[in-house]
Amino acid sequence: MHGSIPMSLSNASLLSLIQLNYNNFSGRIPPNLGSLRHLRFLLLYGNRLEARKPLDWSFLTSLSNCSILEILDISQNNIGGFLPKSVANISTTLQWLSMGNNYIEGSIPPEIGNLVSLTILDLGSNSVSGRVPTSIGLLKNLHVLSLGYNNFSGEIPSTMGNLSQLNDLYLDFNCFSGSIPVSLGNCKSLVSLNLQHNKLTGTIPKEVFSISSLTIGLSFEENQLTGTIPPEVGSLINTQELSLSGNKLSGEIPNSLSKCQVLQ
């Protein structure tokens, strides 16, 4: 299917699901979708939908009227312009917010912490910049946080250590600086942690190497990390991938690495 999404769609007042993904829809997302008070799922990913000017983002502001919205997925489109603050005004019932693989600029507003029901937050592969707000630590139901392939800078907020249910954390290919927060060691449910290709400095916290749930992998390559590999690396007994290349690490490889028998 192709063409624009008709404005008249909002006349179907009892709609709870809009699923138009993987088509060739183009143009703006209708700004009147907020009148669909029963809307729970809005799936528009994999199209050619566009946004460039603030007015093009009116749909997001209108969605604040959808009080039971659970999933909003506009990933894999041609959506650009600056991410509006109204993203944080979407209903607190929202569980899935995916905007990855677009051309979105701007920064994450501090009010993002209002979306307390989020389990997935995906802004990967955009041009989002600035610091990740400390309020990200309020999203305690998050299972996936994907911010890779953007222009984020500053330190990784230590409040990420509050995300105890987090399974996947992707912060790769950004400009994060400073040290790796020790608090990440509190994320005991992590299966994948990717911090590669940043500007991180300092030593690798032993607390991070003690996360035995890391089964998929741990990647810190292409940073400016120093010091030795702590013996706690032996706690990664279920890890398939460990990547530390392209840093300034020194000292010996600890014997405890031999305990990581799942490494591929």
Side-chain angles (χ1 to χ4, degrees), residues 156 169 171-172 180-181 184-185 190 192-211 214 217-226 228-230 233 236 241-249:
I156 298 171
L169 177 58
L171 304 178
D172 48 316
I180 298 171
L184 286 183
L190 277 175
S192 180
L193 174 58
N194 195 333
L195 306 180
Q196 66 175 311
H197 287 268
N198 278 286
K199 299 178 181 179
L200 297 170
T201 56
T203 58
I204 302 174
K206 62 182 182 180
E207 291 81 0
V208 175
F209 275 134
S210 299
I211 305 175
L214 283 164
L218 181 69
S219 182
F220 294 155
E221 68 180 77
E222 298 300 331
N223 279 284
Q224 299 170 27
L225 299 170
T226 55
T228 59
I229 300 174
V233 70
L236 302 176
E241 180 181 344
L242 174 62
S243 181
L244 304 174
S245 62
N247 282 286
K248 299 178 181 179
L249 299 174

Side-chain angles (χ1 to χ4, degrees), residues 13-81:
S13 59
L14 296 180
L15 269 181
S16 63
L17 166 65
I18 298 177
Q19 185 171 7
L20 303 175
N21 49 289
Y22 290 124
N23 278 287
N24 284 306
F25 286 108
S26 58
R28 293 166 54 191
I29 299 173
N32 57 354
L33 295 180
S35 62
L36 298 172
R37 300 303 176 91
H38 298 278
L39 189 63
R40 296 176 60 188
F41 310 104
L42 181 55
L43 307 173
L44 304 177
Y45 58 92
N47 281 286
R48 295 187 290 116
L49 297 168
E50 300 176 2
R52 292 292 180 268
K53 303 175 183 178
L55 188 63
D56 299 339
W57 283 93
S58 298
F59 75 92
L60 197 62
T61 303
S62 74
L63 289 176
S64 62
N65 297 317
C66 301
S67 60
I68 58 173
L69 189 65
E70 296 179 25
I71 296 179
L72 171 59
D73 194 334
I74 58 171
S75 61
Q76 301 176 55
N77 277 286
N78 295 322
I79 296 172

Side-chain angles (χ1 to χ4, degrees), residues 36-153:
L36 298 172
R37 300 303 176 91
H38 298 278
L39 189 63
R40 296 176 60 188
F41 310 104
L42 181 55
L43 307 173
L44 304 177
Y45 58 92
N47 281 286
R48 295 187 290 116
L49 297 168
E50 300 176 2
R52 292 292 180 268
K53 303 175 183 178
L55 188 63
D56 299 339
W57 283 93
S58 298
F59 75 92
L60 197 62
T61 303
S62 74
L63 289 176
S64 62
N65 297 317
C66 301
S67 60
I68 58 173
L69 189 65
E70 296 179 25
I71 296 179
L72 171 59
D73 194 334
I74 58 171
S75 61
Q76 301 176 55
N77 277 286
N78 295 322
I79 296 172
F82 286 80
L83 181 67
K85 291 184 178 180
S86 60
V87 68
N89 296 331
I90 303 175
S91 173
T92 54
T93 61
L94 192 69
Q95 299 176 28
W96 183 315
L97 177 59
S98 183
M99 298 182 171
N101 288 279
N102 279 293
Y103 302 94
I104 300 171
E105 301 177 62
S107 58
I108 299 177
E111 294 81 6
I112 197 71
N114 295 339
L115 303 179
V116 292
S117 297
L118 278 184
T119 60
I120 294 178
L121 176 57
D122 175 18
L123 287 170
S125 298
N126 278 288
S127 296
V128 186
S129 58
R131 293 175 175 264
V132 175
T134 57
S135 58
I136 204 82
L138 298 174
L139 306 179
K140 295 185 179 181
N141 291 304
L142 272 185
H143 288 275
V144 177
L145 178 57
S146 179
L147 303 178
Y149 290 86
N150 277 287
N151 297 313
F152 288 108
S153 59

